[in-house]
Amino acid sequence: MNKLWLIIQREYLTRVKKRSFILATLLTPLAFALFYAIIIFTVTYDTSEALKVAIVDKEGIIKSIADEGTLIFKKENRNLDDLLENFEESGYNGIIVVPPIKNITYKNYSVAYYSDSQLGLDVQSKIENIIGDKIRDYKIEKLKFDKKELEYLRTSITLNPEPIKPTDEDETPVASIVAAIIGYIMGFIMYGTVFIYGTMVMRSVMEEKTNRIVEVMISSVRPFQLMMGKIIGVGAVGLTQVAIWAILIPSMYFLVILFFDFDPEQMNAAASVGNEVDVEEMEDMVTQAITEIGNINWWAIVPLFIFYFLGGYFLYSSMFAAVGSAIGDDLGEGQALTIPITIPVVMALVIMMVAIRTPHSSLAFWSSIFPLFSPIVMPARLAFDPPIWEIILSIVVLAGASVFFVWLSGRIYRVGIFMYGKKVSFKEIGKWLFYKG
Amino acid sequence: MNVLKIENVTKAYDKNVAVNNVSFEMPKGSIFGLLGPNGAGKTSLIRIITTITGADQGTVYLNGEKLNSSHPEQIGYMPEERGLYKKMKVGEHLLYLARLKGLSKNEATNEINHWFSKFEIEDWWDKKVQELSKGMQQKIQFIATIIHKPKLLILDEPFSGLDPINTNLIKDEIDEMHRNGTSIIFSTHRMEQVEEICEYIVLINEGRNVLEGKVKDIKNHFKENIFNIEFEGELPENIDEIATVVKQKSQSITIKLQEGIDSNVLLKKLIKQGVHITAFNEILPSLNEIFIKQVEQSAKPEINNE
C-alpha cells in the first residue's frame, strides 16, 4: 500500500510540476476568456458608433419615429435633391426615402437608403424592422383596425410535455432544453477526459518500457502496483486540471464581463435582433432556464458524474495501459491495437447524442447499462431524471466491469512490459492472459 | 549456509522453455558467476530470483525462506538494459527508488548524500537524468541498486558501456560490499571478468545448468595434465615415454603428461638427467576454454535430436 502511494505521488507530482501542464491548465481558461472577450467586442462594436439617418416621407406615412440605440432618426421636410446636394454639410450618415403606398394589400415594399458607406447586416435588419413596424401601424390605421385588438390575435404556442402519470414536478419545455445542454456538456467532458488521460497513461507506460526503467521498478514493486499507481496518479492529474478549470473558466467569464462593463442580456438582445423573437420572451426564457438549472438535483448529479468519471476512466485507462505495454516503442505499428478502445469511445459519443434526443428510448436504456458506453451515455441522461433502478443497475454493472477490466489489463500489462522486439497480435495478447505469474 | 537455493526451477514462455529444471546453491557471502551464452536463460532465471516473474515449477529459497513479496527489499538488481526516468532529477529519482525498497525518507536522503560524497558528485541532486552522460547515468544506476544495502546483489553485465576508470570504481565498490558480507551474483559472458572476480560459478546453456562449483575445483576438474617447464640444459630423449610435447622452444617446453603419471615423476626424470629447472607450471584451462567446450558439448545432443 505504501509503495502504491509512492508511485501515485511520483506520477502525480512529476506531471503537475511540468511546465506544459501548468501552461495548459492556465492558458485554456485564458483562451476561453479571450474567445469570450472577442465575441463581446464584436457584438458591442458596431452599436458604439452613432448613425444619423434622415427620413424623407412626403406622404406622411411615418407619424413619429424614436431613436433606437445608436440609431438617430430625423424627419426631414426638405426634398431629396436638396438633401443630396448638401449631404456633406448636413451631418447625416444616410437618407431613407419612404415612397407612397399605392396599394395597401402589397406585402413587399422597398425603401431607398442613400449613403456613402455600407450598413452592417445587423443595423440594416434593425432599420428594416423599425420601418416595417411603422408601415404596419400605417396600414392598421388605414384599414381602421383597432391596434390593441390586433395584438390579441397574436398567439404564440409552446408545446408543453406532460407525463402520463402525474408527478409533483411540472416539466417545462425549457427544462428539457436545459437538461439536453447539461447532458451534452457532461457527455463531452467524459469523452474528452477518457481520451486525453487514457492516452496519457498509455504513453507513459510505453515510455517506461522503452526506457527500460520498468525492469528496475518491477524488481521493487508488483506490476499491478505500478500500473494502478500510474492510473490513479494520472487520474488525479485529470481531476486537478478539471477542478482548476471549473473554478477558473467561470471566474474568467465574470472578469471579462466586469472588464467590458457588459450586460449579458444586451448580448441576447443583440442576438435576437432580426429574428422574430421578442426580447421580453427571450428574457422570460432566460429566467426560466436559470430556475430550471436550479431545479436540477445537483446533489445527486455531481456525485454520480464523479462516479461515472472514475468508472469510465478506470475502465478505459486500464485498457490503454494494457495496449501501451504491448506496443512498446513503435507507436506506428501499435496503432492498430488502440482501435478496439477508440471505437467504443466514439460509438458511445454518437449514441450519447441520440440518447439526448430520445432519453427514454431502448437504445438510451441499453447503452447506459452497457459498461463501455454507460460512462458517456448515462451522465448525459442524468438531467432527464431516468428511473432510479436504471441508475443503480448501471452503477453496479460499471463498477463490476471496471474491476474486471483493470484485472484483465493487469494480466496483459505484466507480460507486455517485458516483451521486446516482437510484433504483437491480439491472439498473442490473448495468450498472455493465461501466463502464470 | 546458503543465501540462495534454486531447486528444480522451470519457466516456459509459450513453447519456449527459458529455464529448464535448474538447481544450484549459492554460499552466503560469495561472489557467484552466472554464466551462459546469449539467450541461455540467465535473465529469465534472474527475473525469477528477483520476483519479477514466478517460476512455473520449482522453488527458490532466499536465506532458507521460500521467496515471498518481502524479499525484494533484500535484493538489489541492476539489469543489463539500464533505465532511469530521463526527466527526473537525480536526487529525487534515487529517493524514489530507495523508498520503494523500503527506506524512510530520512534514511534514503542520508544514503544518497553518502554516495554522492563518495563518488564526488555532490552537485548532482538537481541535475536531470537526461543531462548526464551514459557513464554517469550508470553510476546513478549502481547507486540505486545498492542504496538499500541489499543482502543479495545481482549484477547483469555491470561493466558493459563503462570506461576503465568507472569500471575500476564499480569493481572497488563490489569488492567492498563483498568484504562486508554481501552475496553477489554476477551475470556475464565475459570470462576474464569471471576469473578475476568470482569464487563460484554456474554455467547455463539452453535453460539447463551445465556446470557448477568453485572456480578452482572446476579448473582442476578440467585440467589436462599440461605443464610448462623452463629450463637450462638438455632434455632427456625418452621423455615421450611419459608425455607428449605440445610446444617447444629452446629454453621452454609445454608438455602433456600421460594419464596416471604424476608431475613428480616427470620432475625426477628431468633432475636425474641434470636439467636445471628454472620454472615449472601446471597450465590450467581458462574458464573461457571450459565455457566454449561445455557450451558446444551441451548443444550437440540438442542438434542431433532435431
Side-chain angles (χ1 to χ4, degrees):
Chain A
M1 206 55 209
N2 187 31
K3 286 181 183 175
L4 180 64
W5 178 238
L6 282 171
I7 297 168
I8 295 171
Q9 268 184 320
R10 192 202 84 89
E11 297 290 341
Y12 179 77
L13 289 176
T14 48
R15 282 188 179 74
V16 170
K17 280 189 202 157
K18 255 192 205 163
R19 201 171 299 146
S20 56
F21 174 84
I22 296 168
L23 280 179
T25 310
L26 296 182
L27 284 184
T28 309
L30 271 180
F32 268 94
L34 191 70
F35 177 69
Y36 194 65
I38 288 171
I39 288 179
I40 292 178
F41 186 69
T42 44
V43 167
T44 48
Y45 181 73
D46 273 349
T47 45
S48 60
E49 225 173 291
L51 205 67
K52 211 174 161 194
V53 181
I55 301 212
V56 179
D57 178 22
K58 277 192 188 148
E59 304 293 314
I61 292 168
I62 295 172
K63 288 260 157 55
S64 66
I65 186 159
D67 298 342
E68 173 129 6
T70 51
L71 276 173
I72 298 156
F73 296 109
K74 196 171 177 235
K75 285 193 76 172
E76 268 292 346
N77 296 323
R78 286 180 276 179
N79 65 17
L80 180 65
D81 294 335
D82 209 24
L83 277 168
L84 286 174
E85 226 165 89
N86 302 312
F87 187 72
E88 307 264 308
E89 304 94 67
S90 67
Y92 287 121
N93 297 92
I95 305 161
I96 285 175
V97 180
V98 184
I101 295 176
K102 284 177 190 135
N103 188 335
I104 210 153
T105 59
Y106 284 179
K107 283 169 95 181
N108 290 322
Y109 189 69
S110 101
V111 173
Y113 179 74
Y114 293 88
S115 176
D116 285 337
S117 54
Q118 281 214 325
L119 284 177
L121 274 184
D122 54 335
V123 180
Q124 186 180 334
S125 67
K126 220 177 194 175
I127 293 174
E128 280 168 0
N129 277 331
I130 291 165
I131 304 292
D133 280 348
K134 292 296 163 193
I135 287 172
R136 187 167 179 269
D137 288 347
Y138 172 79
K139 281 181 174 175
I140 288 170
E141 206 191 298
K142 274 277 139 134
L143 291 167
K144 297 200 171 65
F145 287 147
D146 184 42
K147 198 181 171 186
K148 270 193 186 142
E149 278 173 7
L150 269 179
E151 288 301 325
Y152 298 150
L153 289 178
R154 272 204 202 188
T155 320
S156 75
I157 305 290
T158 46
L159 207 59
N160 194 0
E162 293 291 345
I164 303 297
K165 285 178 195 146
T167 52
D168 6 80
E169 274 181 64
D170 184 27
E171 289 219 349
T172 62
V174 181
S176 63
I177 295 171
V178 168
I181 291 171
I182 291 170
Y184 266 115
I185 293 172
M186 287 201 169
F188 269 103
I189 290 176
M190 282 295 180
Y191 172 78
T193 44
V194 161
F195 252 120
I196 295 170
Y197 301 108
T199 41
M200 204 182 264
V201 168
M202 182 177 80
R203 277 213 312 274
S204 163
V205 170
M206 287 166 60
E207 201 186 310
E208 270 176 5
K209 190 179 168 183
T210 17
N211 256 354
R212 306 273 180 164
I213 178 76
V214 72
E215 193 155 356
V216 175
M217 291 298 298
I218 300 303
S219 70
S220 302
V221 301
R222 307 302 313 150
F224 191 72
Q225 285 176 316
L226 183 59
M227 187 182 90
M228 281 315 282
K230 189 172 294 297
I231 290 175
I232 296 171
V234 173
V237 173
L239 284 177
T240 309
Q241 198 162 41
V242 171
I244 291 174
W245 285 345
I247 296 164
L248 276 189
I249 292 178
S251 36
M252 283 289 180
Y253 175 89
F254 286 115
L255 271 181
V256 168
I257 288 172
L258 274 178
F259 179 74
F260 279 92
D261 196 15
F262 180 75
D263 178 9
E265 272 179 27
Q266 198 182 334
M267 192 149 133
N268 293 333
S272 67
V273 173
N275 301 333
E276 288 287 314
V277 181
D278 203 325
V279 176
E280 257 175 53
E281 207 176 297
M282 189 79 188
E283 274 173 8
D284 198 36
M285 263 178 71
V286 169
T287 39
Q288 221 179 328
I290 289 166
T291 26
E292 281 305 329
I293 291 172
N295 274 348
I296 284 174
N297 189 358
W298 292 105
W299 291 111
I301 284 190
V302 170
L304 280 173
F305 180 82
I306 292 173
F307 171 82
Y308 280 101
F309 173 81
L310 292 178
Y313 172 75
F314 274 113
L315 194 150
Y316 275 106
S317 62
S318 68
M319 286 203 281
F320 272 114
V323 166
S325 77
I327 293 177
D329 40 7
D330 193 352
L331 183 60
E333 206 174 68
Q335 203 75 59
L337 294 176
T338 61
I339 289 173
I341 310 175
T342 47
I343 283 181
V345 183
V346 174
M347 269 175 76
L349 185 74
V350 175
I351 292 173
M352 181 271 281
M353 291 193 258
V354 178
I356 282 174
R357 269 184 274 134
T358 55
H360 300 292
S361 63
S362 58
L363 174 73
F365 168 72
W366 287 110
S367 58
S368 46
I369 303 300
F370 185 58
L372 287 176
F373 298 155
S374 66
I376 292 173
V377 177
M378 199 50 158
R381 278 182 70 207
L382 284 178
F384 293 98
D385 285 329
I388 295 286
W389 69 269
E390 276 186 32
I391 300 178
I392 292 171
L393 180 61
S394 160
I395 285 176
V396 171
V397 173
L398 178 61
S402 301
V403 172
F404 175 71
F405 273 93
V406 167
W407 172 82
L408 198 74
S409 301
R411 288 191 75 82
I412 296 171
Y413 176 86
R414 89 214 140 106
V415 181
I417 44 175
F418 290 117
M419 288 286 168
Y420 290 100
K422 217 181 191 183
K423 197 179 171 183
V424 177
S425 63
F426 287 115
K427 203 178 148 198
E428 181 86 28
I429 291 177
K431 278 186 197 163
W432 295 354
L433 289 175
F434 302 103
Y435 276 0
K436 263 180 97 178
Chain B
M1 182 66 182
N2 295 318
V3 63
L4 189 69
K5 190 175 166 195
I6 310 274
E7 218 174 60
N8 306 105
V9 166
T10 298
K11 175 81 185 175
Y13 295 98
D14 240 348
K15 279 167 196 152
N16 171 28
V17 183
V19 181
N20 192 352
N21 201 19
V22 168
S23 304
F24 63 84
E25 289 172 20
M26 175 184 171
K28 207 170 212 166
S30 61
I31 301 192
F32 192 91
L34 179 60
L35 318 179
N38 295 324
K42 288 181 305 229
T43 304
S44 296
L45 188 58
I46 289 175
R47 282 183 181 165
I48 291 167
I49 298 168
T50 50
T51 73
I52 288 175
T53 52
D56 295 344
Q57 283 160 36
T59 328
V60 177
Y61 298 92
L62 191 76
N63 284 324
E65 286 172 13
K66 253 190 177 182
L67 211 57
N68 63 51
S69 59
S70 74
H71 283 138
E73 292 182 4
Q74 301 176 31
I75 301 174
Y77 170 42
M78 183 155 86
E80 182 179 4
E81 300 275 2
R82 312 289 145 70
L84 296 166
Y85 290 109
K86 301 261 177 285
K87 287 185 178 145
M88 268 183 111
K89 286 177 181 166
V90 172
E92 281 173 16
H93 203 318
L94 286 172
L95 196 60
Y96 178 54
L97 292 177
R99 294 193 65 192
L100 285 179
K101 284 288 188 191
L103 265 61
S104 75
K105 200 172 179 178
N106 278 337
E107 285 169 336
T109 314
N110 289 340
E111 280 300 312
I112 295 166
N113 287 330
H114 162 75
W115 283 103
F116 274 14
S117 60
K118 193 164 189 181
F119 284 172
E120 293 168 358
I121 50 173
E122 285 93 340
D123 55 338
W124 279 17
W125 187 286
D126 280 327
K127 272 193 185 163
K128 279 190 177 171
V129 171
Q130 60 188 3
E131 291 168 29
L132 303 179
S133 74
K134 257 225 161 112
M136 288 161 140
Q137 287 185 23
Q138 291 239 46
K139 260 192 216 173
I140 301 300
Q141 192 104 42
F142 184 75
I143 296 175
T145 311
I146 55 170
I147 195 153
H148 57 294
K149 302 196 175 100
K151 295 198 173 89
L152 176 64
L153 179 63
I154 303 175
L155 304 168
D156 199 347
E157 300 288 356
F159 306 120
S160 73
L162 279 181
D163 63 27
I165 295 165
N166 281 320
T167 303
N168 277 337
L169 190 81
I170 302 291
K171 247 185 214 166
D172 291 347
E173 289 311 322
I174 294 173
D175 274 349
E176 197 183 320
M177 293 191 69
H178 175 52
R179 278 198 301 278
N180 293 339
T182 310
S183 313
I184 301 166
I185 294 182
F186 189 59
S187 165
T188 186
H189 51 253
R190 306 244 324 251
M191 291 306 139
E192 73 280 4
Q193 287 174 358
V194 177
E195 230 154 321
E196 189 186 334
I197 296 172
C198 300
E199 301 155 279
Y200 294 85
I201 58 162
V202 59
L203 174 62
I204 290 181
N205 192 36
E206 289 175 342
R208 274 186 271 258
N209 56 341
V210 179
L211 194 65
E212 65 167 298
K214 273 192 168 171
V215 172
K216 221 163 85 189
D217 294 347
I218 287 174
K219 283 188 148 192
N220 271 327
H221 182 258
F222 285 93
K223 69 181 179 186
E224 293 174 281
N225 272 348
I226 296 176
F227 296 88
N228 180 275
I229 309 154
E230 281 172 31
F231 61 92
E232 285 162 7
E234 285 292 313
L235 284 176
E237 304 243 318
N238 62 349
I239 197 165
D240 51 358
E241 284 171 12
I242 53 163
T244 41
V245 177
V246 181
K247 213 159 67 184
Q248 189 165 14
K249 287 181 199 162
S250 62
Q251 298 292 297
S252 110
I253 188 167
T254 308
I255 53 172
K256 185 176 185 331
L257 279 183
Q258 279 167 19
E259 204 91 356
I261 293 180
D262 197 78
S263 54
N264 282 355
V265 177
L266 174 70
L267 278 172
K268 259 183 207 156
K269 208 177 179 87
L270 293 173
I271 291 162
K272 220 168 152 188
Q273 184 74 22
V275 178
H276 180 62
I277 297 165
T278 52
F280 185 83
N281 287 317
E282 179 166 22
I283 297 186
L284 290 172
S286 71
L287 272 181
N288 202 32
E289 287 162 347
I290 298 172
F291 177 87
I292 292 169
K293 220 175 193 172
Q294 288 301 307
V295 167
E296 278 171 354
Q297 262 180 24
S298 67
K300 262 174 200 157
E302 289 288 318
I303 293 163
N304 290 341
N305 285 345
E306 272 176 36

